[in-house]
Amino acid sequence: MRFTFVLLMTLLTGCASSGEPTSRGIVTLFYQQYMRLFTSDQNQSLIDYSNPVYNKYVSADVIQRLKKIDGYYEQEIVSSDYFMYMQDYAPEWISEFHTGRTTPFLGGETVEVFLADADHHFTQLLVYTRKENNQWKIYRVRDLTNHFEHAIYSSGDIAAAQAWSTQQVREGRYP
């Protein structure tokens, strides 16, 4: 009888674990890969958003928005790296990275991310995920430590940046 119970529990446990990546797992994998790429010598594929790590872990809409915004002359929408909210990051800080709590949010989930700096001070980010084509993808990142968010979803800010850029081109200030 005990053997049957143990066998039944083993089978049920095996069925319950589908092996499908969780939102937290995807966020962890993204940041581990992204930070290594970010700290490598001027990885152009991160700058022009062509690196495969984006397609694998980040919503297509976010990449399209970042490419569009990046094409504007002296835009003020994204003033630091969108995914880390930092301008520089050192390879030795990667070991301090960790994720925290995962919380359901509007049909997706949020994942807490903690990034350290040289003085071991942590920046806490909130990474929003949702399923896109049946896979968890990152679609929004907020800096909770500094109460800041890049305005990539602000149509007003984007329109202003586009108008400014167009004006600079007309005046011959943009190459």
Side-chain angles (χ1 to χ4, degrees):
M1 179 74 162
R2 283 188 185 164
F3 177 75
T4 306
F5 179 73
V6 171
L7 182 61
L8 181 61
M9 291 307 291
T10 304
L11 288 173
L12 289 175
T13 306
C15 293
S17 136
S18 67
E20 181 179 313
T22 63
S23 62
R24 183 178 183 183
I26 292 298
V27 168
T28 300
L29 289 170
F30 169 77
Y31 275 93
Q32 288 171 340
Q33 292 176 33
Y34 188 78
M35 288 185 294
R36 282 187 182 83
L37 290 167
F38 188 86
T39 58
S40 67
D41 294 330
Q42 297 296 335
N43 193 312
Q44 183 63 34
S45 67
L46 288 184
I47 296 168
D48 66 13
Y49 302 103
S50 65
N51 195 288
V53 75
Y54 290 123
N55 290 332
K56 189 170 184 178
Y57 301 111
V58 179
S59 168
D61 180 54
V62 170
I63 299 308
Q64 287 176 322
R65 285 175 182 277
L66 291 172
K67 282 181 179 180
K68 181 178 180 180
I69 291 165
D70 198 44
Y72 297 146
Y73 182 72
E74 291 186 9
Q75 55 81 21
E76 299 288 326
I77 299 168
V78 180
S79 57
S80 62
D81 179 75
Y82 179 74
F83 299 100
M84 295 197 308
Y85 282 80
M86 296 181 182
Q87 301 233 344
D88 299 308
Y89 202 73
E92 56 271 17
W93 304 346
I94 294 172
S95 63
E96 300 284 341
F97 159 79
H98 64 278
T99 56
R101 185 176 44 197
T102 300
T103 308
F105 181 80
L106 296 176
E109 295 180 345
T110 61
V111 180
E112 294 176 326
V113 167
F114 298 89
L115 303 174
D117 63 15
D119 298 321
H120 302 286
H121 296 118
F122 282 94
T123 296
Q124 181 182 7
L125 305 176
L126 192 60
V127 178
Y128 294 76
T129 63
R130 65 178 165 216
K131 290 217 172 177
E132 183 177 285
N133 298 324
N134 238 6
Q135 295 178 1
W136 286 106
K137 299 279 185 147
I138 295 168
Y139 74 91
R140 182 178 173 193
V141 181
R142 292 180 51 221
D143 179 347
L144 294 183
T145 300
N146 298 300
H147 310 287
F148 179 73
E149 181 174 3
H150 292 298
I152 70 166
Y153 290 105
S154 169
S155 56
D157 287 346
I158 291 172
Q162 184 178 19
W164 170 257
S165 184
T166 302
Q167 178 184 351
Q168 297 307 304
V169 169
R170 267 192 243 129
E171 294 174 3
R173 296 183 186 163
Y174 188 58

